[in-house]
Amino acid sequence: MTAVDPALRATRTACPYCGVGCGVLATPDGRGGAAISGDPQHPANFGRLCSKGSALGETLGLEGRLLFPMIRCSKGSMERVAWPDALDHVAHRFAHIIKRDGPGAVAFYLSGQLLTEDYYVANKLMKGFIGSANVDTNSRLCMSSSVAGHRRAFGADTVPGVYEDLDEADLLVLVGSNAAWCHPVLFQRMLANKQRPGARLVVIDPRRTDTAGDADLFLGVKPGTDTALFSGLLVHLADSGALDRDYIDNHTSGFEDALARGRSIAGSTAATALATGLSEQDVAAFFQMFGDTPRAVTLYSQGVNQSAQGTDKVNAILNCHLATGRIGKPGASPLSLTGQPNAMGGREVGGLANQLAAHMGFTPPDIDRVRRFWKAPRIATHEGLKAVQMFEAIARGEIKALWVMGTNPAVSLPDADSARAALKKLELFVVSENVVSNDTVNAGAHVLLPAQAWGEKSGTVTNSERRISRQRAFLAPPGETRPDWWIVGEVAKRLGFGAAFDFHSAAEVFREHAALSAFENNGDRDFDIGALKLLSDEAFETLAPVLWPHRLGDTEPQQRFFADGRFFSNDHRARFIAPEIPALRTETTAGRPLRLNTGRIRDQWHTMTRSGSSPRLGQHLPEPFVEVHPDDAAKTGVIDGGFARVVTDYGQCILKVVVSERQQRGMLFAPIHWSEATASAARVGALVVPFTDPYSGQPENKATPVSITPYEYVFRGFALSRAQLDLPDHVWWARVTVSGGYGYLFADNADVTRWSSWLRSVAGPDLAEYRDFGGGVYRAASFAADGIETCLFLGPARDAGDWNVVTDLFAAGALSDDQRRMLLSGKSMDRLASAGPVVCACFGVGRTTICDAISAGAGTAAEIGARLKAGTNCGSCIPELKRLIAQTGTAAQADQQRKLTVAAS
């Protein structure tokens, strides 16, 4: 199924993180690891990688991997079984439930990190042969509003532009996208374009993110008002003579209705400013920029999509591009920035419950076409349940069997506590996974099926610009792991569908997928890769990155869509959509006076299953936090560096507080990444309201009513260990991978004397200790082979010790006598000065080192890069470098002024 080159040469593959789709060169070291670098020949990244991609080599270990099938036995524990027994059990239980309750009683929940071939086989089984469309994906939480917006406007889920447009645009508009952190390779491409004379960047976001640091204009809109802003823009375009009337008249319909609705929402610059919370001057500046710049690209992401009105937001943006004919042309298009590595591939094979394969829908002609191609005995004839509704149906007992593949819904779904509780009600709960434990597995999985991970599996993914790339195996599959397509196919065979699932390789699956895309497709459907349907196994193995569509007979793939004005609706016209008047689904109250916005941070990914295993990625922001504007901090009594209880009507978390003027008044921001496995009280998904968009089914992750109150801890501390620890129940903690083991940052209110007995229970009695129980200080360490085995530092407030110094000592291995003597002081020695918290994760450069370079004369990010390499890879740390330059310069000026004042006195 997968072959690994025994010569250990570099393998061209694709990154498993975001939708940029970067090419990666992976050179295995023969010991289960690999050296990672960017592929200079891949057109998505031309050799550049972000911090996460650069650290992929640190994530290939087998600790915590699920290596064998397991079934929950009568005693309640999970026990290893043989593959045939596991597959027989899954097929038997599915067949029993389907026979008793019908196909609507079973469901699949898939992942944007599956390969296209995995997605294809799973959808074929559920929709074509089981006969239910209850198969959805975590991409529903990510990009489904873009899908719905595309389908409403274009007649198909078509991305019009390509990445080259980022190089050629004179105006780049980022909406609801912190691309500097979430799509850094593309953002560096945008910044390179911005160096051209006349090129400008606009950032629209409630938060002043690092992306906004390079903007010519930042528009800090009120949450939920994107539709008002772009409705106002449409009105301005009409009133200022900036419309492309020929394009509108010849290739679109519905313009007058959309314009009339725009006038009712935001009929003037002043009305737009009032609706969005912006200044009239800034609104006018944006309108003029867009109206005067034919080569404009609007890029949008989660801030637009993750909304109960996300589809309307997308269509409000698309309306402006259609009205000006700026679509599918070099440097002029809307572009959805996809969140996951294969969200697009999943959309191609019908990974969403309201789609059939190959971008077909649940219309009678499409249903019949797919039925005949698959020879499907009982094809689904109507849409299935979308993700949030699927889990609500599980809670009601309507869905009795669920198969989750490669995702962690107990953390990532909104109202995640309810989702986790629902999983416990299932009669059959199957999980295909890489890891033996996560929040979803621990919610009561009955069967665990070991799937191959990145580096072991082989197939294709599609990125945000419709480019199909190969993920190739470069490591031998460990244990008894198998590809997901094989696992699903084996269950299909046991359900009696063997002839339709007799696949022997990913290449065979891909060929069928390509053939379906071309089946009875004479240019009437956008997705067509018929030119690839006859690829040999060898040609599939060497397939270069390729855009779709690539129709049979075409010498080259088509670059862009819609410049010719031909769309995929019945009349081949685009549709202007009149959006609903924008209004958030929830209201703030005296008890919930703020709104919670959730999202990603720079160096982590989803629920940290992979990224959390990299020591370097955990050092930038190691603890779960909530970001608060200074005015709101003053009103609520929370302080920077303290703790706060964050509460919604659905759940609560305890998070570290970061007070920042970059946060909008009335808004909180908290990252989504921490789970029950990595922190004690930071499952942010449990806070999120489960309201969804009526068209896309995507939940509102950006504006949940919330309250925040201080939460006091007397003691702070940290522990380091070569093995994972179970900390006492009374402790707030967050786990982070460090070089050589695991770190735990914690806070506590219990008697400090308890820690001595706890540490002896996990580290043994042979401890070097420093005790000052009266002062609330306790420090201790155990050693093995002259290195630290386990250590703990605890004290009031910030007196526990220097985390950075001790983690450096922990990673150093054998310590000198002086280092051992100094260890329990928790302070640095001259020969081991702390580099400070990591700022540049790509090269592991700490804040102290950077500040020293600034003090020594490095006055720009480029000069810091020349001295330290910081910021010279993905560039996502450059905004922080600029802030440090400003802060260090301000501090130096203040110090100089103080010295002058002292001298004068």
Side-chain angles (χ1 to χ4, degrees):
M1 286 171 287
T2 56
V4 177
D5 186 353
L8 303 180
R9 296 190 298 266
T11 296
R12 283 196 154 85
T13 185
C15 181
Y17 289 122
C18 78
V20 174
C22 294
V24 170
L25 293 177
T27 306
D29 59 14
R31 302 182 300 276
I36 301 295
S37 61
D39 183 353
Q41 296 182 21
H42 199 291
N45 61 315
F46 298 109
R48 188 187 291 273
L49 290 178
C50 75
S51 59
K52 294 184 290 292
S54 298
L56 278 168
E58 300 177 11
T59 69
L60 301 175
L62 297 183
E63 185 171 357
R65 282 292 301 275
L66 176 65
L67 298 176
F68 309 98
M70 303 182 80
I71 292 180
R72 193 172 300 281
C73 68
S74 58
K75 299 176 183 177
S77 60
M78 299 297 292
E79 295 190 358
R80 177 179 172 180
V81 297
W83 264 114
D85 294 336
L87 297 166
D88 288 347
H89 178 77
V90 171
H92 172 74
R93 295 294 296 140
F94 261 101
H96 170 74
I97 292 169
I98 293 167
K99 182 177 181 180
R100 185 190 68 198
D101 300 308
V106 300
F108 292 170
Y109 188 61
L110 311 180
S111 167
Q113 296 188 70
L114 293 175
L115 301 184
T116 300
E117 293 72 24
D118 305 324
Y119 253 132
Y120 179 86
V121 176
N123 275 276
K124 182 179 180 180
L125 173 58
M126 180 60 81
K127 290 175 179 170
F129 290 78
I130 290 176
S132 168
N134 287 342
V135 50
D136 213 51
T137 164
N138 60 12
S139 298
R140 178 70 63 190
L141 315 179
C142 175
M143 301 307 297
S144 57
S145 293
S146 286
V147 176
H150 290 160
R151 291 174 73 176
R152 289 205 297 179
F154 307 147
D157 176 22
T158 312
V159 173
V162 291
Y163 291 168
E164 287 180 4
D165 296 330
L166 306 182
D167 307 327
E168 301 178 24
D170 296 316
L171 177 65
L172 295 167
V173 182
L174 281 158
V175 192
S177 171
N178 186 9
W181 276 20
C182 298
H183 299 91
V185 168
L186 286 187
F187 188 63
Q188 291 304 306
R189 196 162 175 172
M190 298 177 211
L191 293 184
N193 173 31
K194 191 173 176 291
Q195 302 308 307
R196 295 188 303 110
R200 289 169 295 179
L201 176 69
V202 175
V203 173
I204 303 167
D205 200 303
R207 296 172 62 219
R208 188 178 285 274
T209 65
D210 275 8
T211 302
D214 287 285
D216 295 284
L217 177 64
F218 171 66
L219 300 178
V221 294
K222 293 191 299 188
T225 62
D226 309 78
T227 297
L229 179 64
F230 282 90
S231 293
L233 175 58
L234 184 67
V235 171
H236 168 81
L237 295 170
D239 292 347
S240 62
L243 299 177
D244 186 335
R245 277 291 178 185
D246 288 342
Y247 194 90
I248 292 171
D249 294 342
N250 295 326
H251 303 302
T252 73
S253 63
F255 173 74
E256 295 303 332
D257 289 343
L259 180 60
R261 182 63 54 80
R263 292 194 187 281
S264 70
I265 293 172
S268 66
T269 301
T272 306
L274 183 64
T276 57
L278 300 170
S279 72
E280 192 170 341
Q281 180 180 0
D282 283 349
V283 171
F286 171 55
F287 286 179
Q288 184 171 355
M289 276 189 200
F290 194 96
D292 293 347
T293 313
R295 295 165 78 93
V297 173
T298 305
L299 304 107
Y300 53 94
S301 193
Q302 311 295 42
V304 168
N305 290 292
Q306 289 183 329
S307 167
Q309 289 188 309
T311 306
D312 275 355
K313 292 180 182 181
V314 170
N315 284 116
I317 293 169
L318 300 183
N319 284 346
C320 296
H321 279 269
L322 289 170
T324 52
R326 297 172 188 171
I327 189 162
K329 298 175 181 177
S333 241
L335 179 61
S336 162
L337 293 179
T338 314
Q340 296 194 78
N342 203 29
M344 294 288 282
R347 287 146 66 170
E348 292 160 12
V349 302
L352 296 166
N354 54 331
Q355 296 177 323
L356 277 176
H359 279 202
M360 286 182 271
F362 283 95
T363 64
D366 283 351
I367 293 168
D368 181 63
R369 184 179 298 110
V370 177
R371 178 190 61 78
R372 287 184 287 108
F373 182 87
W374 277 346
K375 299 180 175 59
R378 52 177 70 86
I379 193 166
T381 57
H382 55 83
E383 296 179 2
L385 294 172
K386 302 177 180 73
V388 174
Q389 290 71 33
M390 180 186 290
F391 279 78
E392 291 171 347
I394 295 170
R396 293 192 300 267
E398 296 167 10
I399 291 177
K400 297 175 171 60
L402 177 70
W403 190 345
V404 174
M405 303 180 198
T407 186
N408 197 0
V411 180
S412 56
L413 279 170
D415 192 11
D417 286 345
S418 294
R420 182 168 60 178
L423 293 172
K424 297 180 184 296
K425 298 182 178 181
L426 289 163
E427 290 183 29
L428 177 64
F429 179 19
V430 182
V431 178
S432 297
E433 251 301 349
N434 303 147
V435 294
V436 73
S437 175
N438 63 25
D439 287 30
T440 298
V441 169
N442 298 340
H446 302 130
V447 183
L448 298 181
L449 303 175
Q452 289 175 0
W454 181 81
E456 303 155 7
K457 59 185 179 180
S458 178
T460 60
V461 293
T462 306
N463 73 356
S464 295
E465 64 167 348
R466 298 176 279 107
R467 191 177 298 277
I468 298 169
S469 295
R470 288 276 283 111
Q471 270 197 22
R472 295 181 174 90
F474 56 88
L475 298 173
E480 295 179 8
T481 58
R482 297 290 188 272
D484 287 283
W485 63 260
W486 180 90
I487 299 170
V488 176
E490 288 299 305
V491 171
K493 292 173 184 176
R494 286 162 170 80
L495 289 171
F497 311 129
F501 291 86
D502 190 27
F503 299 115
H504 298 91
S505 68
E508 285 189 17
V509 180
F510 181 83
R511 285 191 287 268
E512 181 175 303
H513 162 56
L516 175 56
S517 76
F519 182 59
E520 298 179 354
N521 186 354
N522 298 312
D524 295 327
R525 304 196 306 273
D526 64 338
F527 180 67
D528 187 341
I529 53 172
L532 307 178
K533 69 179 183 179
L534 299 178
L535 284 181
S536 65
D537 287 358
E538 294 75 15
F540 179 74
E541 192 57 34
T542 59
L543 180 66
V546 57
L547 285 170
W548 67 257
H550 195 4
R551 305 180 193 277
L552 190 64
D554 289 352
T555 56
E556 293 291 334
Q558 180 179 327
Q559 288 285 109
R560 297 175 177 85
F561 281 96
F562 308 145
D564 62 357
R566 180 180 173 84
F567 293 85
F568 294 98
S569 57
N570 291 335
D571 60 3
H572 302 299
R573 287 175 172 264
R575 301 286 188 267
F576 282 92
I577 301 298
E580 297 298 320
I581 295 173
L584 292 169
R585 289 279 301 276
T586 55
E587 297 287 344
T588 56
T589 64
R592 302 278 185 265
L594 307 173
R595 289 195 182 274
L596 176 66
N597 179 9
T598 69
R600 294 172 176 163
I601 60 175
R602 191 188 75 190
D603 296 335
Q604 296 295 354
W605 176 254
H606 284 199
T607 60
M608 299 198 285
T609 302
R610 175 176 294 280
S611 62
S613 63
S614 164
R616 77 169 104 164
L617 295 180
Q619 303 311 305
H620 181 233
L621 294 171
E623 297 169 290
F625 64 90
V626 58
E627 196 171 85
V628 192
H629 188 275
D631 290 355
D632 294 321
K635 290 177 184 177
T636 57
V638 301
I639 60 173
D640 189 60
F643 289 86
R645 188 192 297 275
V646 180
V647 184
T648 72
D649 290 345
Y650 302 91
Q652 60 180 287
C653 292
I654 298 174
L655 305 170
K656 287 288 291 291
V657 175
V658 176
V659 177
S660 172
E661 291 186 351
R662 297 193 298 157
Q663 180 61 42
Q664 189 174 121
R665 289 178 181 85
M667 294 286 293
L668 307 179
F669 172 79
I672 62 173
H673 305 290
W674 281 268
S675 67
E676 195 171 70
T678 52
S680 59
R683 291 173 60 252
V684 169
L687 305 178
V688 174
V689 61
F691 293 154
T692 59
D693 179 284
Y695 303 101
S696 70
Q698 186 155 357
E700 175 84 87
N701 283 47
K702 301 295 186 181
T704 303
V706 64
S707 62
I708 185 171
T709 54
Y711 197 92
E712 299 295 335
Y713 284 108
V714 176
F715 303 109
R716 307 280 182 94
F718 59 87
L720 299 167
S721 178
R722 302 296 169 186
Q724 291 190 29
L725 301 173
D726 290 322
L727 273 75
D729 292 338
H730 52 77
V731 176
W732 181 96
W733 58 269
R735 190 186 79 208
V736 58
T737 302
V738 298
S739 295
Y742 302 90
Y744 296 81
L745 295 138
F746 62 81
D748 187 24
N749 284 325
D751 188 338
V752 70
T753 59
R754 294 189 187 183
W755 284 98
S756 177
S757 57
W758 173 82
L759 186 60
R760 290 176 183 276
S761 72
V762 299
D766 187 15
L767 293 174
E769 295 179 291
Y770 171 79
R771 304 184 185 197
D772 177 8
F773 289 156
V777 177
Y778 177 67
R779 300 170 188 157
S782 65
F783 298 89
D786 294 326
I788 303 169
E789 184 70 15
T790 305
C791 64
L792 184 144
F793 288 71
L794 176 70
R798 303 180 187 277
D799 294 339
D802 190 320
W803 158 263
N804 295 297
V805 168
V806 180
T807 53
D808 286 346
L809 288 168
F810 184 78
L815 304 184
S816 68
D817 291 342
D818 286 346
Q819 288 171 334
R820 288 187 64 157
R821 279 192 294 270
M822 286 292 295
L823 171 64
L824 296 187
S825 74
K827 298 177 181 178
S828 64
M829 302 169 57
D830 289 342
R831 69 190 70 178
L832 190 67
S834 170
V838 168
V839 172
C840 175
C842 294
F843 297 110
V845 186
R847 185 184 302 159
T848 303
T849 304
I850 292 167
C851 289
D852 289 345
I854 296 169
S855 298
T860 66
E863 290 172 358
I864 292 173
R867 297 187 186 200
L868 305 175
K869 297 182 70 174
T872 61
N873 184 39
C874 73
S876 59
C877 66
I878 289 176
E880 190 164 351
L881 298 182
K882 292 178 179 178
R883 287 198 298 275
L884 290 174
I885 291 167
Q887 292 165 8
T888 303
T890 301
Q893 290 173 3
D895 185 59
Q896 182 64 24
Q897 183 61 45
R898 182 186 58 80
K899 291 178 179 178
L900 290 173
T901 301
V902 171
S905 63

